[in-house]
Amino acid sequence: MTQQPINDTFLKACRQEPTDYIPVWYMRQAGRYQPEYRQIRKQYSFFEMSETPEVCVEVTSLPVTQLGVDAAILFADIMTPLKPIGVDVEIRSGVGPVISNPIRTKQDVKRLGELDPESGVPFILKAIQMLTQRLSVPLIGFAGAPFTLASYMIEGGPSKNYHKTKGLMYADPTLWHALMEKLGAMTITYLQAQVRAGAHALQVFDSWVGALSAEDYQTYVAPIMQKIFNTLKQTTDVPLIYFGIGTGHLLTEWDKLPIDVIGLDWRTSISSARKLGITKTLQGNLDPSLLLAPWEVIEKKAKEILDQGISQPGYIFNLGHGIFPDVQVETLQRLTEFVHHYTKKGGNK
Ligand SMILES: Cc1c2[nH]c(c1CCC(=O)O)Cc1[nH]c(c(CCC(=O)O)c1C)Cc1[nH]c(c(CCC(=O)O)c1C)Cc1[nH]c(c(C)c1CCC(=O)O)C2
């Protein structure tokens, strides 16, 4: 399968190699903020879109051509690999995943199947193969991390406090670790298959693990994350990115993991992470809400973040979380152009 020659600035930054400018992409760069996405979404359910390779390719590619970003991220969801292992999930617009058979007992965990990517998610592998023949930038594959997946599986949908999830974790550690093992194995299999299909980098989204203290993260989650990243490091050669929301208190733990990039939300500045002695490449971390502010306000904050990021090799500009529906395409086009122009070596500031 011939792969397109790609602009590898993003991959160089992941590996802390010098780059001519700071690469930029955005979490949730495909979504309802785009009129073209909304037009397609009228004809399909979310899963129909992401499970039809031709549509997935179109939706994944749109932000690359429209915004000029330096990486594409596969249009799927963190719930995608759960459907073939027996989780009854639907995606409700503006809400997110809703699960009709939540995990409550040991039998529920035992009932979960094993992921066979070729039969479980063939559309993912096909879409990745099609994308790598077409894209001019690297393609990021991704998965949800076990804690974040478990939070949906146990709560039955989005949650603010994760009481049921953490309650089960504290009340039945054996059951919790059995669930972590199952989800960890699925994540490894799923991400290895994405790399075999052609993904150039992998991001693991642990959006909700910030709900745990550093001590509980160590006890209940760190072992499975160590296993996931160790296995991926031993079996693939692509950069690994680990992202979470409100996870600033876990940074020193994450810096010990065999990963290449840490994704920060807006609460922890790049410079304070560096002061903590974090040596990994950093990715982030403009507060997405700023995208609703006047351009002067956005530019000022973006400059602050970029000045911190360019202070040493290994930095990728992103938001601190995903784009949301109220954001204007034009704002993101202007921000992408600004990041490239402001950081291009020798560019007039
Ligand atoms: C927690 C989480 C989920 N999904 C994801 C996370 C981790 C990242 C994050 O924290 O945002 C990850 C995700 N979800 C989606 C992507 C594809 C990449 C991209 O969007 O550019 C990625 C990387 C598509 C999607 N996944 C979903 C949408 C919105 C779908 C729609 O209603 O059309 C998209 C584009 C649905 C979804 N799926 C989920 C939520 C919370 C929602 C609701 C989002 C919303 O309604 O705005 C679970």
Side-chain angles (χ1 to χ4, degrees), residues 16-245:
Q16 302 206 348
E17 295 164 9
T19 59
D20 295 336
Y21 60 90
I22 296 295
V24 44
W25 70 280
Y26 305 105
M27 287 181 282
R28 291 197 183 281
Q29 61 190 18
R32 296 201 309 275
Y33 78 99
Q34 297 166 305
E36 299 84 350
Y37 176 96
R38 295 198 297 270
Q39 198 48 39
I40 298 170
R41 187 71 165 76
K42 282 181 191 153
Q43 305 160 56
Y44 299 93
S45 74
F46 176 86
F47 282 126
E48 283 168 342
M49 282 172 74
S50 61
E51 294 174 10
T52 308
E54 293 69 24
V55 177
C56 174
V57 166
E58 184 183 352
V59 173
T60 303
S61 307
L62 180 61
V64 178
T65 44
Q66 198 170 53
L67 306 180
V69 289
D70 298 288
I73 180 165
L74 178 68
F75 179 70
D77 193 72
I78 59 171
M79 296 287 115
T80 299
L82 292 180
K83 287 174 69 183
I85 68 166
V87 176
D88 300 336
V89 53
E90 56 157 319
I91 296 282
R92 284 204 198 130
S93 248
V95 172
V98 176
I99 289 169
S100 57
N101 58 340
I103 298 280
R104 294 280 186 277
T105 66
K106 198 176 294 182
Q107 287 65 38
D108 294 334
V109 174
K110 275 204 160 73
R111 193 188 64 226
L112 293 173
E114 249 182 71
L115 179 68
D116 167 34
E118 281 67 23
S119 58
V121 288
F123 44 86
I124 291 290
L125 309 182
K126 178 69 182 158
I128 291 174
Q129 286 159 10
M130 292 166 71
L131 282 161
T132 49
Q133 291 174 43
R134 163 174 170 163
L135 286 170
S136 57
V137 294
L139 175 66
I140 303 169
F142 75 90
F147 179 90
T148 294
L149 295 175
S151 76
Y152 286 102
M153 295 166 75
I154 295 168
E155 303 291 338
S159 171
K160 287 195 173 33
N161 45 47
Y162 308 99
H163 286 327
K164 291 190 182 70
T165 305
K166 294 164 74 173
L168 184 153
M169 185 180 83
Y170 295 128
D172 193 340
T174 307
L175 178 56
W176 175 263
H177 287 296
L179 179 58
M180 289 296 104
E181 279 301 316
K182 276 226 167 175
L183 294 176
M186 181 206 73
T187 302
I188 289 166
T189 301
Y190 184 46
L191 292 175
Q192 287 173 326
Q194 291 184 46
V195 172
R196 279 199 305 275
H200 300 98
L202 296 173
Q203 177 149 331
V204 176
F205 285 92
D206 212 350
S207 303
W208 313 133
V209 78
L212 296 182
S213 68
E215 188 187 357
D216 285 343
Y217 179 86
Q218 261 279 29
T219 305
Y220 296 103
V221 179
I224 197 63
M225 298 318 298
Q226 190 71 38
K227 183 173 181 180
I228 290 169
F229 290 123
N230 273 334
T231 308
L232 291 171
K233 269 296 165 205
Q234 288 157 9
T235 57
T236 73
D237 62 353
V238 301
L240 305 177
I241 307 167
Y242 189 24
F243 167 79
I245 304 279

